[in-house]
Amino acid sequence: LIAGFIISGNTPKTLLVRGVGPTLGGFGVGGTLADPVMELHTTINGQDVLVATNDNWEDEPNAAAAAAIPGPFPLNAGSKDAALLITLPAGAYTAQVAGANQATGNALIEIYEIQ
């Protein structure tokens, strides 16, 4: 699963980027991706650059802050959903979600700008 987004302007933006799989089951979605792994990429001087990655949202250093953000539905404790709370400069980015160990299933990429 791939989602692209652009940050414009001269001021860095803080984003919550999530790759949701297991928690979708609570909303009636079947066949969810059991262990999504998310990568965030950009291009610098024509080269693909891996900006950040996450496999299991609770392992993210900012997990508590990300969980406290109002708006997005909460991720289940202990789930293997992926999430990044990250500040990025202006530019074009790609969020990619794939299954750990090449697993497949239904997933969702969400991108929230944090004020």
Side-chain angles (χ1 to χ4, degrees), residues 28-84:
V29 177
T32 59
L33 187 59
D35 188 1
V37 177
M38 183 171 52
E39 293 183 346
L40 189 60
H41 293 257
T42 193
T43 301
I44 298 175
N45 297 325
Q47 298 293 315
D48 178 64
V49 176
L50 177 63
V51 176
T53 187
N54 180 261
D55 179 16
N56 304 330
W57 74 276
E58 289 176 309
D59 294 340
E60 165 68 21
N62 298 319
I69 294 170
F73 59 84
L75 299 178
N76 295 332
S79 75
K80 293 188 177 279
D81 296 297
L84 290 165

